[in-house]
Amino acid sequence: MRYLTAGESHGKQLTTIIEGLPSLMPLTKENINESLLRRQKGHGRGKRMQIEKDLVDIVGGVRHGYTLGSPIAMVVYNDDFKHWEDVMGEDPIDDDQKIRRVVSRPRPGHADLNGAMKYGHRDIRNILERSSARETAARVAAGAVAKTLLAHLDINIVGFVREIAGIQAKEYPEMSMDDRVKISEESPVRCLDAEAGQKMMDAIDKAKKDGDSIGGVCEVYIEGMPAGVGSYVHYDRKLDGRIAGAVSSINAFKGVEFGIGFEAARKNGSEVHDEIAWEEEKGYYRKTNRLGGFEGGMTTGMPIVVKGVMKPIPTLYKPLQSVDIESKEPFNASIERSDSCAVPAAAVVMEHVVAFEVAKALLEQFPHDQFPKLKKAIDQYREEIRCF
Amino acid sequence: MRYLTAGESHGKQLTTIIEGLPSLMPLTKENINESLLRRQKGHGRGKRMQIEKDLVDIVGGVRHGYTLGSPIAMVVYNDDFKHWEDVMGEDPIDDDQKIRRVVSRPRPGHADLNGAMKYGHRDIRNILERSSARETAARVAAGAVAKTLLAHLDINIVGFVREIAGIQAKEYPEMSMDDRVKISEESPVRCLDAEAGQKMMDAIDKAKKDGDSIGGVCEVYIEGMPAGVGSYVHYDRKLDGRIAGAVSSINAFKGVEFGIGFEAARKNGSEVHDEIAWEEEKGYYRKTNRLGGFEGGMTTGMPIVVKGVMKPIPTLYKPLQSVDIESKEPFNASIERSDSCAVPAAAVVMEHVVAFEVAKALLEQFPHDQFPKLKKAIDQYREEIRCF
Amino acid sequence: MRYLTAGESHGKQLTTIIEGLPSLMPLTKENINESLLRRQKGHGRGKRMQIEKDLVDIVGGVRHGYTLGSPIAMVVYNDDFKHWEDVMGEDPIDDDQKIRRVVSRPRPGHADLNGAMKYGHRDIRNILERSSARETAARVAAGAVAKTLLAHLDINIVGFVREIAGIQAKEYPEMSMDDRVKISEESPVRCLDAEAGQKMMDAIDKAKKDGDSIGGVCEVYIEGMPAGVGSYVHYDRKLDGRIAGAVSSINAFKGVEFGIGFEAARKNGSEVHDEIAWEEEKGYYRKTNRLGGFEGGMTTGMPIVVKGVMKPIPTLYKPLQSVDIESKEPFNASIERSDSCAVPAAAVVMEHVVAFEVAKALLEQFPHDQFPKLKKAIDQYREEIRCF
Amino acid sequence: MRYLTAGESHGKQLTTIIEGLPSLMPLTKENINESLLRRQKGHGRGKRMQIEKDLVDIVGGVRHGYTLGSPIAMVVYNDDFKHWEDVMGEDPIDDDQKIRRVVSRPRPGHADLNGAMKYGHRDIRNILERSSARETAARVAAGAVAKTLLAHLDINIVGFVREIAGIQAKEYPEMSMDDRVKISEESPVRCLDAEAGQKMMDAIDKAKKDGDSIGGVCEVYIEGMPAGVGSYVHYDRKLDGRIAGAVSSINAFKGVEFGIGFEAARKNGSEVHDEIAWEEEKGYYRKTNRLGGFEGGMTTGMPIVVKGVMKPIPTLYKPLQSVDIESKEPFNASIERSDSCAVPAAAVVMEHVVAFEVAKALLEQFPHDQFPKLKKAIDQYREEIRCF
């Protein structure tokens, strides 16, 4: 399974093509719209999120509610494009029109300057339109298809917020998946810990008032994965490695960890590993899950626990210094938009990005032409390894 | 540029093939042996490291000290194979011989159990021989070639230890590359901070005495990368994402971060980003480097700073509980080897793994058929972006 | 450079995403529409080609007539979709509606039966909608972008018809590229040889009258490629191999050859190879071009000459016997559409498929971030190898 | 499944790494050596083939006669390397030594000139050592592993010679696989038709006497493939396309065709397609096999029939004119070796190259972690589609 996305932030549309899905899997627009909607929510989002409601159109690969096996194409239209047609149209324009609109001031913390140098653009709009986090809507669409596949395989996934601006939520290792989903959905900051959640909202409000922005830590939690998915035989087939790569490619993410993650540097080996037990009914299991569901690049059958850190959004009312690429004069970096905290939305993005990698690994390992056969094969495997 | 590795821990040899290098690049065995040797050093390594000295043989792609442009094959022979021929030979053997040798006891924290279930092996030796960290010697060989390429492009890279068992080394943001290399090399724990280094050694000695193991945090630091390497245009071309994926695929690594990494969740946006400045001689630069050399999936031209966390080695004198896959009876997990701390070696491995990804990204971006042309193109680009 | 396509024959639209193009390359809808239009022409096409005129919409990656460097998305809408919405809609429908429409009769020579077995579809429409040659419009869109790139690099490409129903056109080794383009465009069967062209049209008319179909041989001819593109160092980097793979993946193509191709089996070595000459002005060149522009998987600098054979379209008025997958009863295969000869259109498809592979190889070999730099690098290389 | 090869013609060794094989598949050196030996046989081979007997060493991925699931490394040592160490050693040498040995005369029909220009080598030995057909031994080793896998799945494959120097062997559509293997093996030119075979040998002898070389057509024939392997859903997943790409990447191959191939351009549609029939015991089958086992990029369940054309070897006693790259003076191209016809050996190479692509497609489609499960899944699928 592979996918490509295309589209600029203020362009006509975002487009996603996914290739390699099984046939005969139930899939509807609603599966994807639900995910797109969740991405747009969250205390601290700017105005744009409220104006535009992302809705997907499935334009290939699905017929009468089922996948065909052929590539799936999805479109999220930009309703606002009519106001941007002059700026973002694909047709050639006169040179004098161009000059008027040029963005020559790169914002720190964005792709602006490096991208302009790499691609030789002197109008930085040519960079920022694609490097914008708007593209994550296209990735969420891809991930929503993956999530649907996982759900039909009894593998459930949720992303929530563990920390914002240094305020850490409590851990709930025993909380059920249903509760994780429900509570995070009801929290305006996608936090399982109501008390911490309130403090996070206060911090967001304060940041907004101060014209500053704040970051945080998201967690993605997956239940139902069988053991032995991924592989140790070659480094690029390790599933945790692939997840880390995908998470680190989300806009503004600066780190990723599994299970206790960086804490593993501060503990003895006897406190870090998960002892192995077996019971006839449950099969092999671990008494703890410090390693976050991975050993040797493969799943252990325990929940996958992966965290990612998002830096504060760099577009601020409290500006950062930069340099105009034409005049080479310093200036205070302009504001392109005004979210003071996008961590709750980032948790949704991360959930979908991880879902895609996990689904991809399952499709690589199990027969994937027809969804019912895939499901049967995974169920059989679950039974087999129980008594391995 | 791509590479494959093969070989089992006690097999005949480790083999690496790299495809996609430019021609006419100076390369000798010594470039690689130096890296292999560094990987074997470090306070806290077990006996095996002292007995076997890894030496590479270049068996393809190099002639008279220069790369040909054709694939490079490298071999690290296992001198000890004669003692393992019966156990690890590739020829069929009688069934009664097999039974005698079967490993049926999976060690927690290793690929043993998940790997056995995935690949259907009832003799866990079939897993552990490949999942062993011995394979990192083959990855270091690949990385040593990449490091050589980088060095000829005036891009220098070093890996060192930032933390062991909770003991954190001081940061030295102003320390020169030469000093980083020299001081880390002289430290038995590859630590730039002598005082912390001594404490780390004490902690290792204590862990050894206690029959326990300890982990830590490695840092890789790269100087000389031009800005704009990597790309924001598609998520799988972001260089930080690729590095994160590669680092997380190193045995026993559980997390990775760039620049201030997880600290970004605890700071305001105004404290996280790196303001942009310009001077005619230096070109664009940043006054700080909190983002670790990356914005928008591309290099900023500042040093790349990436950290990875290694968990304590799971093979302990203080054993963990597990279950025999034949009898389904619990047992205390056996000891396959006896390093109490492999973090200094892991810093070398990480250095080479990161070097490969960085070199690969450069070869994708710049003309890569002939090394002298590659060098010229990168030098021209450096000059161009200075006055961009 | 890579691309994905999506879309069913009677679905809402065809979608193409291309990732990996340089920035700052001039590109307009007209570049692509011209290619789409050429694909629809040709003596012997059925009615559908006259009703629907394919027009592209560029929905990502292009701004004000220039590429951004970000992925390019292109859409060809299906104006007729309103009549197909019930049959091809993506939303779930009631079961009784489904039954009415099921196609259970696989046509020989199509993907119908094998596809149905592989993907478990009992309604063969689920196969034929994607396996239809309609998808080649999406590939032509991708190829048109590649052709535009090549044209800006002074590399020109044309596809024409060499043979239909056993009628062979004369070869014109000395004919200029301009004439090849002009004459083939004016010929209703894209044939450079007017006399043979007339016979081909007669054969097509006769086949139509007889309710039969006929195939033929297409040639793609490329001028302006520098020598040394592709590589011998690893088998999957040979450019002729990649072209052969791409051509053989065009619907109904059953073979591919370079230069004299299969004739090489009937000649002595002294008659097959191309002697090497050198003149200061021209650089190295060949006195003949029997090998079709390739030696060792690389271009020689001579024109690329590649031929592909298309079998007759299997949907005929003169039906073929098959078996209903529900009743297992034999039947005479139904007609889905009525082209009696699609070879002229196939020449256009092949032209674009080859253009993509050639452009991709150039982008791999030369710096490809910015188009003006790419052009400069290729021009420099041309000059370099002239006096090599 | 993927593989890389490395090694120069007169270098120390050829190395192959295959990644992605299932565990628990029986595999021994003998499986591979048999293939290597077959590659070296054939009327018309030069002296080198008789001196050196290629033998493989398996140096990774196999234990006690079974695959582990980890990458397989194979080595073919060059016994003659001791005589070439000065010329081909990897260690730096003095400049004056280099000069003495430089090859500055590119041979027409080889990679020599294009390769030298691409990689900037002024000593053409740096090209010819890797571009040599010697590398096909490494590809045969990879293919031999694939062939072993196929054989255990009751899929059998054989390559033989259909034509040499215009002498065409009769077709034997009814001949059993066993006879194809046996008769071709006994024929010094791998020809099923004894009479034609004798004429081919005479032609080879004559060519040798004349100092000329001759080419021919090889056929690969595969029995036992289930229908529906490959896919029509995306162009790069069509199995015939992949085979065409792989075959065209064999040294000196200039074309490839499936079934009646180029003849399809000379027949009516009613004579080209294969009507579909069904019987309870046999399932679906075709009454003919003109399409060579492929429809829509997928197998039909009929034998795969693919042909490839090999041009005469360009190194001749009857020399071709070329130009010295130093003096720019014309010269008559030198002889590096002296096979007058390598078509019988090429049939073996092609057999193995095709085997790899076919095995790869099966592994993509069916569960491939454990060989016994793969076998079971394919057997189940065969049964399923019989009554589809």
Side-chain angles (χ1 to χ4, degrees), chain A residues 6, chain C residues 16-19 21 27 58 60-62 67 70-74 145:
Chain C
T16 305
I17 298 180
I18 310 180
E19 202 283 313
L21 275 166
L27 182 70
I58 300 178
V62 176
T67 56
S70 42
I72 290 181
M74 292 175 291
V145 175

Side-chain angles (χ1 to χ4, degrees), chain D residues 101-155:
Chain D
R101 289 185 178 113
V102 161
V103 177
S104 63
R105 303 186 149 198
R107 298 159 304 163
H110 280 282
D112 294 9
L113 178 60
N114 314 311
M117 292 192 290
K118 178 185 171 81
Y119 288 108
H121 288 302
R122 298 212 68 84
D123 182 353
I124 291 172
R125 176 160 301 285
N126 289 339
I127 305 301
L128 63 87
E129 283 287 336
R130 177 66 188 166
S131 65
S132 159
R134 173 94 193 116
E135 191 265 349
T136 58
R139 294 185 77 182
V140 165
V145 175
K147 255 194 84 173
T148 304
L149 182 139
L150 293 174
H152 288 299
L153 297 170
D154 305 316
I155 297 166

Side-chain angles (χ1 to χ4, degrees), chain A residues 3-5 106-111 113-122 126-127 130-131 139 163-166 168 212-217 227-235 237-238 240-242 244-245 248-251 253-258 261-262 264-270 272-278 284 286-287 291-292 294-296 298-300 307-314 316 318-325 328 356-357 365 381 385 387-388, chain B residues 3-5 106-111 113-122 126-127 130-131 139 163-166 168 212-217 227-235 237-238 240-242 244-245 248-251 253-258 261-262 264-270 272-278 284 286-287 291-292 294-296 298-300 307-314 316 318-325 328 356-357 365 381 385 387-388:
Chain A
Y3 74 104
L4 292 177
T5 75
R107 300 160 302 164
H110 280 283
L113 178 60
N114 315 311
M117 291 192 291
K118 177 185 172 82
Y119 289 108
H121 289 303
R122 298 213 68 84
N126 290 338
I127 305 303
R130 177 66 188 166
S131 65
R139 296 185 77 182
E163 182 173 343
I164 285 180
Q168 298 192 4
D212 215 328
S213 61
I214 50 184
V217 175
V229 179
S231 180
Y232 64 90
V233 298
H234 208 263
Y235 78 92
R237 290 175 61 191
K238 296 192 183 180
D240 45 2
R242 290 188 186 178
S248 298
S249 76
I250 302 171
N251 303 44
F253 273 58
K254 298 301 288 183
V256 57
E257 62 181 8
F258 297 88
F262 277 88
R266 288 132 216 166
K267 288 181 187 290
N268 288 333
S270 45
V272 162
H273 295 96
D274 302 306
E275 301 198 319
I276 299 173
W278 183 85
Y284 295 94
R286 312 305 171 103
K287 297 174 187 167
L291 297 182
F294 283 103
E295 274 174 347
M298 291 169 292
T299 50
T300 62
K307 274 170 270 181
V309 60
M310 185 195 205
K311 66 180 168 78
I313 286 176
L316 313 165
K318 192 188 271 186
L320 294 160
Q321 213 176 57
S322 182
V323 174
D324 188 296
I325 61 171
K328 304 287 188 289
F356 193 89
E357 296 304 318
Q365 188 150 336
Y381 175 73
I385 61 175
C387 296
F388 177 82
Chain B
Y3 75 104
L4 292 176
T5 75
R107 299 159 301 162
H110 280 282
L113 179 60
N114 314 310
M117 293 192 290
K118 178 185 172 83
Y119 287 108
H121 289 302
R122 299 213 68 83
N126 290 338
I127 305 302
R130 176 68 187 164
S131 64
R139 293 186 79 181
E163 182 173 344
I164 286 181
Q168 298 192 7
D212 215 328
S213 61
I214 49 184
V217 175
V229 179
S231 180
Y232 64 90
V233 298
H234 209 264
Y235 77 92
R237 290 175 60 190
K238 294 191 183 179
D240 45 3
R242 291 187 184 180
S248 297
S249 76
I250 303 171
N251 304 43
F253 273 59
K254 299 300 289 181
V256 57
E257 62 181 7
F258 296 88
F262 278 87
R266 287 134 217 164
K267 288 182 186 289
N268 288 332
S270 46
V272 162
H273 296 95
D274 302 307
E275 301 198 317
I276 299 173
W278 183 85
Y284 294 93
R286 312 306 169 104
K287 296 174 186 167
L291 297 182
F294 283 103
E295 274 174 345
M298 292 169 292
T299 50
T300 61
K307 274 170 269 183
V309 59
M310 185 198 206
K311 67 178 168 79
I313 285 175
L316 313 165
K318 192 189 272 187
L320 295 159
Q321 213 175 58
S322 182
V323 174
D324 187 297
I325 61 171
K328 304 285 188 291
F356 193 88
E357 296 303 319
Q365 188 150 336
Y381 176 72
I385 61 176
C387 297
F388 177 82

Side-chain angles (χ1 to χ4, degrees), chain B residues 46-355:
Chain B
K47 254 192 181 161
R48 188 172 175 190
M49 287 301 119
Q50 292 153 31
I51 300 171
E52 304 158 38
K53 195 147 170 188
D54 289 333
L55 288 173
V56 83
D57 201 4
I58 300 178
V59 294
V62 176
R63 184 180 173 220
H64 297 167
Y66 285 87
T67 56
L68 293 172
S70 42
I72 290 181
M74 292 176 290
V75 174
V76 177
Y77 295 105
N78 175 10
D79 292 332
D80 204 34
F81 181 62
K82 52 187 173 298
H83 302 121
W84 284 86
E85 199 145 15
D86 280 2
V87 178
M88 290 302 298
E90 80 267 31
D91 293 323
I93 57 164
D94 292 343
D95 274 349
D96 56 332
Q97 283 183 283
K98 260 184 235 172
I99 289 155
R100 207 163 22 97
R101 289 185 178 113
V102 160
V103 177
S104 63
R105 304 187 148 197
R107 299 159 301 162
H110 280 282
D112 293 10
L113 179 60
N114 314 310
M117 293 192 290
K118 178 185 172 83
Y119 287 108
H121 289 302
R122 299 213 68 83
D123 183 354
I124 290 171
R125 177 160 300 285
N126 290 338
I127 305 302
L128 63 87
E129 283 286 337
R130 176 68 187 164
S131 64
S132 158
R134 173 93 193 117
E135 191 266 347
T136 58
R139 293 186 79 181
V140 165
V145 175
K147 255 194 84 174
T148 305
L149 182 139
L150 294 174
H152 288 299
L153 297 170
D154 305 316
I155 298 165
N156 293 298
I157 179 165
V158 65
F160 43 85
V161 171
R162 283 293 301 274
E163 182 173 344
I164 286 181
I167 301 151
Q168 298 192 7
K170 280 204 289 281
E171 261 192 273
Y172 300 89
E174 305 297 322
M175 191 184 279
S176 73
M177 177 55 81
D178 281 353
D179 281 352
R180 285 171 199 265
V181 171
K182 192 166 158 283
I183 296 172
S184 64
E185 203 57 43
E186 284 167 0
S187 160
V189 284
R190 298 204 167 278
C191 186
L192 301 181
D193 173 346
E195 205 182 311
Q198 187 54 55
K199 286 186 196 156
M200 291 174 186
M201 286 186 270
D202 296 345
I204 292 169
D205 293 340
K206 183 175 180 309
K208 190 160 207 154
K209 223 179 56 192
D210 294 351
D212 215 328
S213 61
I214 49 184
V217 175
C218 306
E219 177 174 326
V220 172
Y221 183 92
I222 307 180
E223 254 180 29
M225 277 294 280
V229 179
S231 180
Y232 64 90
V233 298
H234 209 264
Y235 77 92
D236 52 5
R237 290 175 60 190
K238 294 191 183 179
L239 179 52
D240 45 3
R242 291 187 184 180
I243 289 173
V247 169
S248 297
S249 76
I250 303 171
N251 304 43
F253 273 59
K254 299 300 289 181
V256 57
E257 62 181 7
F258 296 88
I260 62 167
F262 278 87
E263 272 310 300
R266 287 134 217 164
K267 288 182 186 289
N268 288 332
S270 46
E271 301 159 327
V272 162
H273 296 95
D274 302 307
E275 301 198 317
I276 299 173
W278 183 85
E279 283 171 35
E280 180 136 19
E281 210 137 316
K282 293 172 74 170
Y284 294 93
Y285 65 96
R286 312 306 169 104
K287 296 174 186 167
T288 53
N289 187 26
R290 295 145 173 174
L291 297 182
F294 283 103
E295 274 174 345
M298 292 169 292
T299 50
T300 61
M302 296 298 286
I304 293 179
V305 178
V306 50
K307 274 170 269 183
V309 59
M310 185 198 206
K311 67 178 168 79
I313 285 175
T315 38
L316 313 165
Y317 290 108
K318 192 189 272 187
L320 295 159
Q321 213 175 58
S322 182
V323 174
D324 187 297
I325 61 171
E326 292 309 328
S327 67
K328 304 285 188 291
E329 292 299 317
F331 72 97
N332 283 327
S334 69
I335 299 146
E336 183 78 8
R337 60 187 241 199
S338 57
D339 290 2
S340 55
C341 179
V343 179
V348 177
V349 174
M350 182 175 159
E351 171 190 312
H352 286 81
V353 159
V354 173

Side-chain angles (χ1 to χ4, degrees), chain D residues 332-349:
Chain D
N332 284 326
S334 68
I335 299 147
E336 182 79 8
R337 61 187 241 200
S338 57
D339 289 2
S340 54
C341 180
V343 179
V348 177
V349 174

Side-chain angles (χ1 to χ4, degrees), chain D residues 2-119:
Chain D
R2 50 185 167 167
Y3 74 104
L4 292 177
T5 75
E8 280 68 43
S9 181
H10 299 95
K12 214 174 269 182
Q13 65 180 56
L14 294 172
T15 313
T16 304
I17 297 181
I18 310 180
E19 202 283 312
L21 274 167
S23 65
L24 300 170
M25 182 182 92
L27 183 71
T28 65
K29 275 198 290 278
E30 285 67 37
N31 299 131
I32 300 153
N33 283 335
E34 192 196 325
S35 290
L36 291 173
L37 185 65
R38 286 176 59 219
R39 177 185 161 276
Q40 291 191 290
K41 296 193 336 185
H43 193 84
R45 304 307 306 275
K47 254 192 182 160
R48 188 171 176 191
M49 287 300 120
Q50 292 153 30
I51 300 171
E52 302 159 39
K53 196 146 168 188
D54 288 334
L55 288 173
V56 83
D57 202 4
I58 300 178
V59 294
V62 176
R63 183 180 174 221
H64 297 167
Y66 286 87
T67 56
L68 293 172
S70 41
I72 290 181
M74 293 176 290
V75 174
V76 178
Y77 294 106
N78 175 11
D79 292 333
D80 203 35
F81 181 62
K82 51 188 175 294
H83 302 121
W84 283 86
E85 199 146 13
D86 279 3
V87 178
M88 291 301 298
E90 80 266 32
D91 293 324
I93 57 165
D94 291 343
D95 274 349
D96 57 331
Q97 282 183 285
K98 261 184 236 172
I99 289 154
R100 208 164 21 97
R101 289 185 178 113
V102 161
V103 177
S104 63
R105 303 186 149 198
R107 298 159 304 163
H110 280 282
D112 294 9
L113 178 60
N114 314 311
M117 292 192 290
K118 178 185 171 81
Y119 288 108

Side-chain angles (χ1 to χ4, degrees), chain C residues 43-45 161 163-168 189 194-216 312 318 339-344, chain D residues 265-269:
Chain C
H43 193 83
R45 303 308 305 274
V161 170
E163 182 174 344
I164 285 181
I167 301 152
Q168 297 192 6
V189 285
E195 206 183 310
Q198 188 53 56
K199 287 186 195 154
M200 290 173 185
M201 284 187 270
D202 296 345
I204 291 170
D205 293 340
K206 184 175 178 310
K208 190 159 206 155
K209 224 178 56 190
D210 295 349
D212 215 329
S213 61
I214 49 183
K318 194 187 270 187
D339 290 1
S340 54
C341 180
V343 179
Chain D
R266 286 132 217 168
K267 288 181 187 291
N268 288 332

